Amino acid sequence: MSKLGFYPAAAADNKIQLGIDMIFDLDNSNTIIIIMIVLLILISYALQISISKQTGIQDKIELIPADTSIRQAVQTVLGQLFFAGIIVGTSLYAGGIYFEIFAGGYLLALSVGVMLSIQLLLYFRALSLESSAEGKIKFSTEFGYKNMAHRLFSAGLLLAFLYALFGDLPYLGGVLFTWSTASGYVRRASKLEC
């Protein structure tokens, strides 16, 4: 067995080729994780577009930056795919426990992001109903960043609880990614306060 744990030692000499073989081996769980990461990035962005294009919401809620072009959308998705490629590629190269923590954790963090986007979409749909609220609401960008930071921190607490309960390393990686993202949102919100 190699230090990666899945292949004979002779195959472990060329780690890059081993990583490429692992990516394109559809029977390998690593391939499924990579495919799920790509799908979750695309689903997450589709949900964000759906939220910004909701009919009926504009009558009651004014979302501050709602202006995104196709070029910005493509840059965002490509940036996320590039970031995911770096995380997965590096963790595949390191192998074993690092793949569990970083690739598994990133997959869990993306799952949390999709869940939060669905929750936001349903919240805005409910708020757009005639009987739900009167008047008009204007959310500031600072509020949006702080709200997202608090929601990510709460999701990270859930992942930390699951790590303490089950001891699986992807939960620890999910905590790392969700809390890192939450701290980034807090930092962005504090820059807007000035």
Side-chain angles (χ1 to χ4, degrees):
M1 291 292 277
S2 73
K3 81 176 196 181
L4 293 176
F6 330 106
Y7 293 97
D13 292 336
N14 188 351
K15 283 188 172 183
I16 294 174
Q17 184 60 43
L18 177 64
I20 291 171
D21 291 344
M22 286 170 39
I23 290 172
F24 294 108
D25 179 14
L26 291 178
D27 293 332
N28 192 340
S29 63
N30 299 344
T31 304
I32 294 169
I33 289 175
I34 293 167
I35 290 170
M36 289 177 67
I37 286 173
V38 170
L39 287 176
L40 284 173
I41 288 172
L42 296 174
I43 289 169
S44 176
Y45 193 72
L47 284 169
Q48 291 172 10
I49 289 175
S50 178
I51 290 168
S52 66
K53 304 285 184 199
Q54 276 296 306
T55 56
I57 289 179
Q58 292 84 6
D59 299 337
K60 293 187 176 187
I61 303 170
E62 186 177 331
L63 299 171
I64 309 288
D67 184 32
T68 55
S69 66
I70 298 295
R71 184 176 181 203
Q72 288 173 328
V74 170
Q75 287 175 344
T76 301
V77 170
L78 289 178
Q80 288 179 344
L81 288 172
F82 180 72
F83 182 67
I86 290 172
I87 290 171
V88 171
T90 305
S91 61
L92 267 174
Y93 182 76
I97 192 170
Y98 301 106
F99 187 79
E100 281 188 58
I101 292 173
F102 293 107
Y106 190 63
L107 178 64
L108 284 173
L110 284 174
S111 300
V112 164
V114 167
M115 183 239 356
L116 292 176
S117 294
I118 290 171
Q119 180 189 22
L120 191 62
L121 177 67
L122 295 175
Y123 171 75
F124 283 153
R125 280 192 179 170
L127 199 57
S128 68
L129 298 173
E130 289 295 322
S131 61
S132 63
E134 293 180 16
K136 189 168 183 161
I137 301 170
K138 182 176 181 179
F139 289 125
S140 69
T141 305
E142 178 187 346
F143 170 78
Y145 287 152
K146 284 183 178 179
N147 183 37
M148 188 56 127
H150 296 147
R151 294 167 66 207
L152 283 168
F153 184 73
S154 299
L157 280 176
L158 174 65
L159 291 175
F161 173 74
L162 290 172
Y163 173 68
L165 190 64
F166 298 118
D168 290 336
L169 292 174
Y171 293 122
L172 182 63
V175 170
L176 172 80
F177 284 112
T178 54
W179 284 355
S180 298
T181 307
S183 66
Y185 278 116
V186 168
R187 201 170 47 250
R188 288 172 103 180
S190 66
K191 286 182 182 178
L192 293 174
E193 287 176 352
C194 300

